[in-house]
Amino acid sequence: MCGIAGMAASANVSQKLLRSIAALEYRGYDSCGMAVQRNSTIDIRKNVGTVETVNSLERFTDMKGLVGIAHTRWATHGGVTQANAHPHADNESRLAVVHNGIISNYKELREKLSREGAVFRSETDSEVIAHLVAQKIARNGRDVEEGFVEAIDELEGTFALAVISVDAPGRILCVKRESPLIIGLGDDANYVGSDFSAFFEYTRRAIIMEDGEYALITPESYAVKSLLTRERVDKEVTEIEWDAEKARRGGYPHFMLKEIYDQPITVQAALQIPREDIQALAGMIHESRQCYLGGVGTTYYIASMGQYFFSRLGGRYLPVVSTDEFAHIAEVGPEDGFCAISQSGETYDTLSALRHAKSGGARTAGIVNVMGSTLVRSVDVPILQGAGPEKCVISTKTALSQAVVLLLASMELGLLAGRLSEAEVEALREEVATLSDLVLDTLNERSGYFHTAAHAHQHMKNWLYLGRGIYYPAALECALKMKEVTYLHAEGMSAGFLKHGTISLIDENMYTIVLMPTPEEAELHALTRSSAEEVRARGGFVLGYRFEGDEVVEGLFSEEIVLPRVSPLLAPFLHLVSGQLLAYFLAVALKRDVDRPRALAKSVTVA
Ligand code: AGP
């Protein structure tokens, strides 16, 4: 949600901290700020806007000091204002705090602290932390560590936070509860961040903090301790394997386009996931009485595509539940399984669903992109996608690679269930290996058509995506891409559902995109054709996406875009890519903030 960065160094920190929050901006970007401690003062600068805008207003790089914290915000409590931006300070600005998460008892704390003299300058829940820590430090004879731990004890809710104080010069104190926080270990500096992006330009060595721990960081040392006992905890140092170069834009105008073009490679990376890992997931599904698939937003739609793969190849119907609703509907027992899908591995709703599944005694698995994330560390069967960092807020390459993982797992399930032979699985894996070139062909040879269509139809404000079978969840995902990045109204729907009500919306103000199956899927193909005809019969404009070699649809659409000839197994993947391309080009035509669309955040770590 929000991004936290901190640094204790032997040289001035502001320049590096600025780069850290720029790298974290995908987590939130409505405002940002920095606090740097020097001698007995803390300089705090913050404002509304992107990191670049705020830096030009506030000149972060003029700040001088060897220890600092910084923040990029995605507003939850309190509007987008300078006062609500982080860092927050106590009355005398003896300390500054940056926070990610929600302090659920902030109203009680605010009232109590106000009665005791705290002067609140913002509407945020986070500011109570500054006043509470300051009060505890004062009551503990300026013992910053003791005051900090006592204050944390009183906080309810979820948080990752970092504090600097003139009473603890050169040090950062930090702690987490259900929000991610990672320490980076450098040669002449140590770091803290919401995730690896905060410091992976500076070091690849990291320590992952757990709930119940806090840490003290100086330029030369770090200590992770238990909140309960105050004793030091031995921590393993993790080597980050992500390549910083991969996280750069590499000449593309936007990360979204770069990441769409990364997909031929991420498909190959998914195919290189150790087969034993995929088999472990299939085994868990096979052995479970009922195995749920869960995700939210894009990952819910990808899980829904997986549902079709498991049914078709593995012969198992797996319930798919959006993780924000999971605890309200899913009865989970010890014989059940739960497989969560998440790019970040930190999504609050998905982690809550995981807790619900665990509390019922279920076995758990996770398909996750971010190494070291909470989800990866919490499940019995972790599968790392290896898609590399995804910087654009809109998921593209990670979603496609999750769908590949689910397809591979459904094959293994088919093998375990005796529905597929080893030779058949091998042949299917070879087929999946061709996906990389098909995606490349779509990108290199067809993206011009999407560009043209986007420019021709940029005036249209309402879009309807239709698909049947597995093309139905693909249609839902294409519509989500459109909504997120263009701010246009887009709906996805099963084509068969249309005539049960929504068809009344069809007029010259609604454009329909039909995701055609391959001609080999004769029944689905015929049913989808008739839905397209229903729309055209009511004067609706239909843009058809069909595959090469499909002659049956000639003359059916108002306009069409032809995708490479492909097998039924791989066809839905190309529809995902087409949804990404149209959304991207429309967003550019409409001059949207492509990599950071309004109101969104990459990792939604609040309920
Ligand atoms: C995708 O484009 C969205 N930004 C969003 O729906 C996202 O997929 C969802 O918030 C889940 O995130 P996760 O994959 O990090 O769990």
Side-chain angles (χ1 to χ4, degrees):
M1 222 66 257
C2 303
I4 290 178
M7 182 176 172
S10 52
N12 195 34
V13 292
S14 57
Q15 184 77 45
K16 278 177 142 186
L17 269 179
L18 175 64
R19 293 220 295 276
S20 294
I21 47 168
L24 286 172
E25 217 175 1
Y26 67 90
R27 298 179 67 92
Y29 36 81
D30 55 49
S31 50
C32 66
M34 192 182 291
V36 173
Q37 179 249 319
R38 190 184 197 192
N39 304 326
S40 55
T41 58
I42 292 185
D43 183 4
I44 299 181
R45 302 186 190 186
K46 57 187 185 175
N47 218 320
V48 170
T50 61
V51 170
E52 197 184 346
T53 311
V54 177
N55 184 44
S56 65
L57 293 169
E58 302 293 334
R59 306 177 71 86
F60 289 136
T61 44
D62 289 352
M63 299 168 84
K64 298 279 177 280
L66 305 182
V67 63
I69 51 177
H71 187 268
T72 177
R73 180 171 187 243
W74 187 85
T76 56
H77 291 62
V80 179
T81 64
Q82 185 177 23
N84 289 341
H86 298 216
H88 294 286
D90 62 314
N91 284 6
E92 283 124 38
S93 295
R94 292 183 71 83
L95 67 78
V97 62
V98 288
H99 165 229
N100 171 31
I102 289 174
I103 305 300
S104 49
N105 61 338
Y106 83 98
K107 283 195 179 133
E108 300 88 293
L109 288 172
R110 191 178 169 119
E111 277 167 25
K112 183 168 160 280
L113 289 160
S114 299
R115 282 197 301 276
E116 292 165 359
V119 179
F120 281 83
R121 304 177 186 105
S122 79
E123 306 152 329
T124 64
D125 55 335
S126 311
E127 193 184 346
V128 297
I129 305 166
H131 293 289
L132 186 64
V133 176
Q135 185 200 68
K136 298 288 181 189
I137 293 174
R139 288 188 184 166
N140 277 285
R142 304 250 153 251
D143 182 334
V144 173
E145 185 175 343
E146 194 52 36
F148 179 75
V149 174
E150 277 187 19
I152 300 309
D153 265 359
E154 287 190 23
L155 297 179
E156 289 171 17
T158 60
F159 46 81
L161 61 92
V163 167
I164 54 172
S165 164
V166 294
D167 294 308
R171 265 199 288 176
I172 300 173
L173 291 95
C174 55
V175 65
K176 75 169 285 281
R177 185 192 296 160
E178 288 184 27
S179 281
L181 199 66
I182 295 172
I183 298 170
L185 307 177
D187 291 334
D188 50 3
N190 288 312
Y191 310 87
V192 62
S194 295
D195 62 43
F196 297 141
S197 330
F199 48 74
F200 83 179
E201 249 196 84
Y202 313 133
T203 180
R204 301 297 161 81
R205 296 167 63 232
I207 283 177
I208 296 162
M209 288 187 67
E210 302 289 346
D211 289 359
E213 296 172 348
Y214 68 101
L216 301 152
I217 297 168
T218 71
E220 313 78 28
S221 68
Y222 71 93
V224 179
K225 298 186 179 182
S226 156
L227 279 172
L228 217 57
T229 62
R230 319 279 205 267
E231 296 292 318
R232 274 188 85 129
V233 181
D234 278 339
K235 300 290 289 182
E236 200 185 317
V237 177
T238 304
E239 289 289 332
I240 307 165
E241 285 160 24
W242 277 358
D243 182 348
E245 187 49 42
K246 280 196 194 147
R248 294 199 184 103
R249 254 201 338 244
Y252 288 92
H254 300 100
F255 278 112
M256 181 173 178
L257 191 62
K258 175 200 177 274
E259 286 156 8
I260 291 172
Y261 273 79
D262 279 349
Q263 292 178 117
I265 304 291
T266 50
V267 167
Q268 287 171 13
L271 276 159
Q272 278 157 22
I273 294 169
R275 192 164 167 197
E276 314 83 82
D277 293 2
I278 307 274
Q279 285 168 332
L281 170 59
M284 186 190 100
I285 297 171
H286 185 58
E287 284 153 24
S288 62
R289 186 185 59 131
Q290 168 151 264
C291 184
Y292 295 93
L293 297 177
V296 68
T298 287
T299 50
Y300 171 63
Y301 297 141
I302 297 299
S304 306
M305 289 178 69
Q307 189 178 38
Y308 284 84
F309 292 138
F310 284 112
S311 163
R312 193 190 298 173
L313 295 174
R316 275 286 294 273
Y317 171 77
L318 306 186
V320 178
V321 184
S322 183
T323 50
D324 60 322
E325 285 296 315
F326 192 74
H328 310 308
I329 193 166
E331 280 293 329
V332 191
E335 290 162 3
D336 296 329
F338 173 65
C339 174
I341 302 159
S342 174
Q343 186 287 129
S344 61
E346 301 294 352
T347 300
Y348 182 89
D349 290 322
T350 302
L351 294 177
S352 302
L354 180 71
R355 277 194 292 278
H356 179 70
K358 284 185 158 205
S359 69
R363 288 200 71 212
T364 56
I367 301 170
V368 192
N369 193 42
V370 176
M371 282 175 275
S373 58
T374 307
L375 190 60
V376 171
R377 288 178 284 120
S378 316
V379 293
D380 303 315
V381 181
I383 296 187
L384 273 171
Q385 303 175 224
E390 188 176 66
K391 304 287 279 186
C392 175
V393 168
I394 310 294
S395 296
T396 52
K397 64 174 180 175
T398 57
L400 193 90
S401 104
Q402 286 156 351
V404 174
V405 174
L406 289 165
L407 174 58
L408 296 174
S410 72
M411 295 172 191
E412 299 297 344
L413 184 64
L415 186 63
L416 284 173
R419 291 170 60 94
L420 295 172
S421 65
E422 187 65 66
E424 283 168 322
V425 170
E426 203 36 58
L428 285 169
R429 283 183 72 95
E430 279 169 22
E431 189 180 333
V432 181
T434 65
L435 179 60
S436 189
D437 283 345
L438 288 161
V439 172
L440 196 62
D441 180 345
T442 308
L443 296 172
N444 287 346
E445 308 296 331
R446 330 270 159 156
S447 58
Y449 300 121
F450 293 96
H451 183 271
T452 307
H455 281 263
H457 304 307
Q458 57 177 293
H459 61 283
M460 188 46 53
K461 300 216 165 13
N462 299 292
W463 296 80
L464 181 62
Y465 274 93
L466 297 180
R468 282 189 190 245
I470 192 166
Y471 305 98
Y472 161 39
L476 293 170
E477 168 57 8
C478 290
L480 182 64
K481 290 288 87 94
M482 178 89 92
K483 281 183 264 214
E484 287 186 295
V485 71
T486 67
Y487 319 152
L488 297 173
H489 169 230
E491 274 189 67
M493 186 166 297
S494 61
F497 202 89
L498 177 74
K499 58 187 174 299
H500 297 283
T502 311
I503 197 161
S504 66
L505 294 179
I506 299 298
D507 64 11
E508 68 283 5
N509 296 316
M510 173 76 85
Y511 274 19
T512 303
I513 295 179
V514 175
L515 306 188
M516 285 306 296
T518 59
E520 289 82 358
E521 298 164 284
E523 194 186 342
L524 265 191
H525 195 274
L527 288 167
T528 311
R529 277 199 322 264
S530 61
S531 303
E533 272 155 10
E534 287 161 11
V535 177
R536 294 235 40 206
R538 280 149 188 90
F541 177 93
V542 179
L543 174 58
Y545 293 171
R546 62 137 173 126
F547 296 102
E548 242 168 43
D550 181 356
E551 312 305 342
V552 192
V553 289
E554 208 165 304
L556 176 62
F557 307 120
S558 320
E559 261 177 41
E560 64 175 20
I561 294 181
V562 183
L563 299 168
R565 186 188 287 265
V566 65
S567 66
L569 191 67
L570 303 183
F573 292 90
L574 299 195
H575 279 311
L576 286 183
V577 177
S578 37
Q580 299 165 354
L581 287 171
L582 187 70
Y584 173 76
F585 288 123
L586 256 178
V588 173
L590 295 169
K591 301 197 171 29
R592 304 300 194 231
D593 190 349
V594 173
D595 287 333
R596 294 170 305 186
R598 67 183 182 201
L600 302 188
K602 184 75 183 155
S603 169
V604 184
T605 56
V606 291

